[in-house]
Amino acid sequence: MSFPRHLHCQAAWPPLWASSAFVCIYAALHGAVWIINSRLPWGVEVFAPKELANLSASVIGIASVLFVLFRLFRFHPAANRPYAAWLQTTPWVSRQPLPLGPLHPVIQDVVVIGVLAAIARCHAAVDPWLPVALSLFIYLAAMTLLLALTRTRGYFLAAAFLWPALILPQVGDWQRTAILAALAAVVWLGYRSSLSHFPWNFLPSAKPGAQTSVWQTDVRFDIGELTAIKELRQLGWPYAALSPRMKSSSVSPVNALLISLLAGWVYFCVATATSAPRSPGLIIIVASLSAFVRLLLYAQFCAPSFNLLGRLSSGRLVVPGYDVVLVAPGLAIFIAFAGAWPVRLAGEHHRIVQAALLAIVFHVLLGWGPKMQTWLLTGSHRFRKPPTADSKGVVLKQV
């Protein structure tokens, strides 16, 4: 199933109002500058040619970015939720082209970006590669984020490893071209892989009554799992907390390893590109904040079975069933402090040591247990009393 090709061509062009807005803004900018410069006495120029070129470059660059975002948000089912909701009602499969049109560049995109490049070259005295480079950058960056949104983790992590390599000072022009080609291939393969898993039930569908375009149909889907979770939360505390329906996401060992390596790689690339000095304190701060976030995620709904005063009075200073969640954050902070010594001894290779140290810290925080699901069901804790605004009107009685 597909729409006629002439409909694809019509949908790929920018809307008439957007094109008119760009023409009016660009013409108003240059017209206002010409009037101001020509009417002032003594030949005073309020805007120098370089300043005018910078203003023109800003308008052309913004237009290029908005056009690419328009293409993605109009044609990608994950960004256009009414389109995704309608697509679920059709016999479309991932082997077929998308009905509204493709996401890969087409002749209409070349024409639009080419017109912007021609304006930049012939009238604005701006580098004509500016709209081309911005369009390519925004397209690849947005498509990478959409891989994360559609949970295509393998391809997203592969693209995330390629992005920081572009800023390394050791990378030459031809190497950057090769990296961009590899990035484009990874993004496109990931996009095709994400379509093979459509529909994405983890994404909320379009809201009932949302305004749709002529291409879209307003369809309401009742996602049973999300509805059940919402109804469960409406029960209030403590019924929702005591319910056996506890769901929590966990990071697999492979993903924990890849994410930790990615954190170290990103730090190394940024530190190398900016010539960052030796800073073991930065790793300590990052480790402490990350450990606090992990501990907060675990303990936001649960408290120890008894407080510090109870531990002192009973002699049970350690409650293994609860304190097990403190092991990974404490170890991560200890590694960050202990790593200050090898960082000092690393000399000019301190960025490599700091990147490895950061990767180890994140691997401990992401990969070490206990799993939240196991800890919520078996840990020695008690549920916290929520704020009144979250209790849904349930009356709590002291027992």
Side-chain angles (χ1 to χ4, degrees):
M1 185 199 76
S2 62
F3 285 104
R5 183 171 295 275
H6 71 277
L7 296 182
H8 292 177
C9 298
Q10 181 180 357
W13 291 111
L16 179 61
W17 63 266
S19 303
S20 303
F22 168 75
V23 172
C24 292
I25 292 174
Y26 189 83
L29 171 65
H30 284 267
V33 171
W34 178 81
I35 292 174
I36 292 174
N37 287 341
S38 62
R39 295 298 180 180
L40 285 178
W42 309 297
V44 177
E45 288 188 352
V46 178
F47 293 95
K50 185 176 181 180
E51 294 174 336
L52 181 58
N54 291 336
L55 290 174
S56 302
S58 301
V59 175
I60 293 173
I62 292 174
S64 304
V65 170
L66 292 180
F67 172 70
V68 174
L69 294 179
F70 156 77
R71 286 277 281 114
L72 292 178
F73 279 94
R74 189 170 192 177
F75 291 100
H76 200 297
N80 191 342
R81 303 295 172 79
Y83 177 33
W86 170 81
L87 201 58
Q88 294 183 49
T89 66
T90 68
W92 176 85
V93 293
S94 60
R95 298 187 302 272
Q96 300 172 330
L98 284 171
L100 288 189
L103 270 174
H104 60 76
V106 294
I107 187 62
Q108 289 78 16
D109 304 320
V110 176
V111 170
V112 172
I113 301 301
V115 168
L116 292 176
I119 294 174
R121 174 66 177 86
C122 301
H123 184 268
V126 176
D127 187 356
W129 287 104
L130 173 67
V132 179
L134 271 178
S135 302
L136 178 62
F137 173 79
I138 295 299
Y139 178 81
L140 292 178
M143 289 291 286
T144 302
L145 294 178
L146 287 170
L147 291 181
L149 182 63
T150 55
R151 298 185 183 180
T152 316
R153 294 186 179 93
Y155 289 99
F156 169 74
L157 290 174
F161 272 98
L162 290 172
W163 274 107
L166 294 171
I167 64 175
L168 286 174
Q170 298 87 351
V171 176
D173 292 338
W174 70 270
Q175 293 168 321
R176 284 193 176 89
T177 303
I179 292 174
L180 284 174
L183 184 60
V186 169
V187 165
W188 189 252
L189 291 175
Y191 163 68
R192 297 304 307 175
S193 176
S194 67
L195 287 184
S196 66
H197 296 91
F198 184 84
W200 307 298
N201 294 326
F202 46 83
L203 294 179
S205 57
K207 294 182 179 179
Q211 186 174 0
T212 58
S213 70
V214 68
W215 304 101
Q216 301 160 354
T217 304
D218 190 9
V219 182
R220 180 175 181 177
F221 291 94
D222 186 13
I223 302 179
E225 181 179 345
L226 296 178
T227 304
I229 294 175
K230 181 178 180 181
E231 293 176 352
L232 178 63
R233 291 176 177 174
Q234 291 177 348
L235 293 176
W237 188 89
Y239 307 111
L242 294 174
S243 168
R245 190 182 182 88
M246 291 183 177
K247 288 200 171 184
S248 60
S249 58
S250 59
V251 182
S252 66
V254 175
N255 286 338
L257 177 61
L258 293 176
I259 294 174
S260 59
L261 292 176
L262 176 62
W265 172 243
V266 170
Y267 172 80
F268 173 77
C269 293
V270 174
T272 303
T274 58
S275 300
R278 183 187 294 107
S279 55
L282 178 63
I283 306 299
I284 295 175
I285 294 174
V286 172
S288 301
L289 292 177
S290 303
F292 174 75
V293 171
R294 172 190 160 115
L295 185 59
L296 185 63
L297 291 176
Y298 273 82
Q300 59 179 330
F301 300 117
C302 301
S305 52
F306 46 90
N307 55 24
L308 180 60
L309 184 60
R311 296 192 186 204
L312 294 175
S313 60
S314 64
R316 295 182 59 190
L317 300 180
V318 177
V319 183
Y322 183 86
D323 295 343
V324 66
V325 297
L326 304 175
V327 175
L331 180 60
I333 295 176
F334 172 78
I335 292 174
F337 274 97
W341 179 64
V343 169
R344 292 292 181 185
L345 297 178
E348 62 181 7
H349 303 292
H350 61 88
R351 298 185 187 96
I352 299 177
V353 177
Q354 289 186 146
L357 185 62
L358 188 65
I360 294 173
V361 167
F362 272 92
H363 186 265
V364 170
L365 293 175
L366 293 174
W368 285 46
K371 291 184 178 180
M372 186 178 293
Q373 181 81 11
T374 303
W375 184 73
L376 287 176
L377 295 175
T378 62
S380 301
H381 51 68
R382 56 185 172 88
F383 293 108
R384 295 183 185 274
K385 178 180 177 181
T388 306
D390 296 335
S391 60
K392 301 297 181 182
V394 178
V395 179
L396 305 178
K397 296 183 179 180
Q398 188 72 29
V399 295

